[in-house]
Amino acid sequence: MRKHVFLRIVGDLSSNDNYFTQRVDAAYKEGIFPLAKCTTAMRMLAYGVAADAVNEYIKIGGTTALECLRRFCKGVIQLYEHEYLRAPTQDDLQRILHVSEMRGFPGMIGSIDCMHWEWKNCPTAWEGTLNDINVLDRSPVFDDVEQGNTPRVKFFLNQRPYDMAYYLADGIYPSYPTFVKSIRLPQSEPDKLFAKYQEGCRKDIERAFGVLQARFKIIREPARMWDIADLAIIMRSCIILHNMIVEDERDTYAQHWTDYDQSEASGSSTPQPFSTEVLPVFANHMRARSELRDSKVHHELQADLVNTHMGKIRDVPKLKRL
C-alpha cells in the first residue's frame, strides 16, 4: 500500500487502542514506537514470515510480534469493517447490475468460489478436507436471502421474469437459482458460446484471489497460527486492507469499468432498469428456502442466458470477405 494509507492506519490505531501508543514502564524506559508495531504486523502479513524473523529488522521478539499481529488485525477489523467489508448498497447494486448486463449476464451480482488456506499446525483430530459445498453450508452468504433482508432484484430474460440475483459458479455448486454454472462438455454452438462467456467472466473471482494472495503472502503459505480465531481475524483483516488499497489506487487503474457505462459498449442507450426494492420479512420461511433451492428455475435461467448470448451474436453484422 502507499505510504499515506499506512500512516492513516497507524494514526487511527494509535487513537483508538492504547496498545499502539508509546508508553513508559516502571523503570521509565520507553516502550516500542507505534510505527514499529504496525510495521511488524504488516511485514508478517505481506511476507508471511515467522514471528522470530521480524526481530532481525525491527528488533522485536517473537512473542511481542505475535501480539502486535493479533492486536493489529483486531484493530483493523474494528475500525474499517463497517466500510470496507459491508454488503453492497442500493447504488452499488445498481452499478453492478448494469455492468453485468453489458457483459451479457443480466441479474448477475458477481462470482462465487472457495479459496483454500492450508493449516500447517492443524491438530490430527481436526484434520479433514473442505470443498466448496462444505464451505457453502457453513457460510452466512444466503442467510439474509432466506430471511428476506436483502433487495429482491427483478429482471427479464427472453420475456421471462426473475426476482433473484445470481452468482457465476463452477460445476461443484448445487443447481440453485442463485448460481449459474457453465455447461460441461458443450456440444451445440449455443452451449459452447455460453460456456466461453461464463467461464471468461468467472475468472474475475480467480484473479481477485490471486491478487489477495500476492499482496498478503501469509494466506498463501501454510498458516502457522494455532488458534482458529487468529486465522479468522487474519483473513478478514487482509480482505479489508486489500479493499482499502483498491479504493486508494482506483484512480490509477485503466478505466475498464467506466467503459460499460457508455452506450457504445452495449450498442444501446437505454439500459435495462432493475428493481432492487427490499421486501418485508417472508411470512413463510420454508417458502423462502424452497425458492432459493429451486433447481427448475436454475435450469430455466441458464437456458434463457444461453439464448440471450446467441441472440446478441446474431445481431452483430457479419464482415464481408474482401
Side-chain angles (χ1 to χ4, degrees), residues 106-318:
M108 180 191 72
I109 56 176
S111 301
I112 191 168
D113 203 353
C114 176
M115 186 188 78
H116 300 275
W117 186 15
E118 183 182 353
W119 193 6
K120 182 176 182 293
N121 297 323
C122 178
T124 305
W126 293 357
E127 187 175 1
T129 302
L130 289 178
N131 57 21
D132 296 27
I133 300 300
N134 303 132
V135 173
L136 180 64
D137 291 338
R138 303 181 180 197
S139 173
V141 172
F142 296 108
D143 289 350
D144 291 339
V145 179
E146 293 183 351
Q147 298 170 7
N149 298 328
T150 57
R152 303 281 285 187
V153 178
K154 297 180 181 179
F155 59 97
F156 290 86
L157 280 175
N158 293 341
Q159 286 74 47
R160 194 198 306 268
Y162 293 94
D163 61 356
M164 188 177 297
Y166 60 87
Y167 297 88
L168 299 183
D170 55 19
I172 194 174
Y173 284 88
S175 297
Y176 293 166
T178 52
F179 301 129
V180 170
K181 302 185 291 184
S182 182
I183 299 176
R184 185 181 181 184
L185 301 177
Q187 301 298 323
S188 63
E189 289 301 323
D191 291 348
K192 292 180 181 179
L193 182 65
F194 171 78
K196 174 183 176 182
Y197 278 94
Q198 196 271 357
E199 293 168 4
C201 289
R202 191 164 50 85
K203 287 183 179 179
D204 291 346
I205 189 68
E206 302 289 351
R207 296 189 185 101
F209 285 148
V211 172
L212 183 67
Q213 291 178 320
R215 281 180 171 156
F216 302 102
K217 196 175 180 181
I218 191 173
I219 61 177
R220 186 176 64 186
E221 297 181 348
R224 298 185 178 93
M225 309 294 284
W226 282 97
D227 195 349
I228 296 179
D230 291 338
L231 302 181
I233 62 173
I234 289 174
M235 179 61 71
R236 290 166 68 89
S237 61
C238 287
I239 296 174
I240 293 173
L241 293 171
H242 167 78
N243 291 338
M244 295 178 68
I245 296 172
V246 170
E247 182 188 66
D248 176 63
E249 298 179 350
R250 182 173 296 162
D251 295 337
T252 64
Y253 298 153
Q255 298 298 321
H256 174 71
W257 295 107
T258 55
D259 292 342
Y260 288 104
D261 297 333
Q262 301 175 4
S263 59
E264 292 80 5
S266 62
S268 173
S269 59
T270 57
Q272 176 179 326
F274 295 94
S275 173
T276 57
E277 60 175 332
V278 179
L279 299 182
V281 178
F282 291 144
N284 190 338
H285 182 65
M286 294 304 298
R287 179 173 64 87
R289 289 178 60 87
S290 64
E291 289 180 355
L292 187 64
R293 293 164 172 80
D294 192 345
S295 60
K296 179 182 177 182
V297 178
H298 164 80
H299 294 296
E300 290 177 351
L301 175 61
Q302 187 182 59
D304 287 336
L305 284 171
V306 171
N307 294 331
T308 300
H309 282 284
M310 281 303 299
K312 289 187 175 181
I313 294 299
R314 295 191 190 99
D315 293 339
V316 176
K318 296 182 178 179

Side-chain angles (χ1 to χ4, degrees), residues 5-133:
V5 179
F6 177 67
L7 294 180
R8 170 195 170 190
I9 296 174
V10 175
D12 292 342
L13 289 175
S14 301
S15 303
N16 291 273
D17 190 350
N18 189 44
Y19 180 81
F20 290 98
T21 57
Q22 190 174 26
R23 293 164 292 175
V24 179
D25 59 14
Y28 296 99
K29 183 178 179 181
E30 293 184 348
I32 304 173
F33 195 65
L35 192 62
K37 293 181 178 180
C38 293
T39 303
T40 298
M42 283 300 302
R43 286 184 65 87
M44 294 180 67
L45 292 175
Y47 300 112
V49 297
D52 295 337
V54 185
N55 186 32
E56 300 178 2
Y57 178 70
I58 308 182
K59 307 303 180 184
I60 291 181
T63 304
T64 306
L66 288 176
E67 182 65 16
C68 290
L69 178 64
R70 294 189 183 98
R71 298 293 290 262
F72 180 86
C73 293
K74 291 179 181 179
V76 167
I77 294 173
Q78 181 181 1
L79 290 173
Y80 306 114
E81 183 178 30
H82 65 282
E83 181 179 358
Y84 294 100
L85 202 60
R86 57 170 175 78
T89 62
Q90 292 284 341
D91 294 337
D92 294 337
L93 195 57
Q94 286 287 347
R95 179 179 57 83
I96 293 172
L97 289 171
H98 284 306
V99 170
S100 301
E101 182 188 15
M102 301 307 147
R103 303 183 73 180
F105 291 93
M108 180 191 72
I109 56 176
S111 301
I112 191 168
D113 203 353
C114 176
M115 186 188 78
H116 300 275
W117 186 15
E118 183 182 353
W119 193 6
K120 182 176 182 293
N121 297 323
C122 178
T124 305
W126 293 357
E127 187 175 1
T129 302
L130 289 178
N131 57 21
D132 296 27
I133 300 300

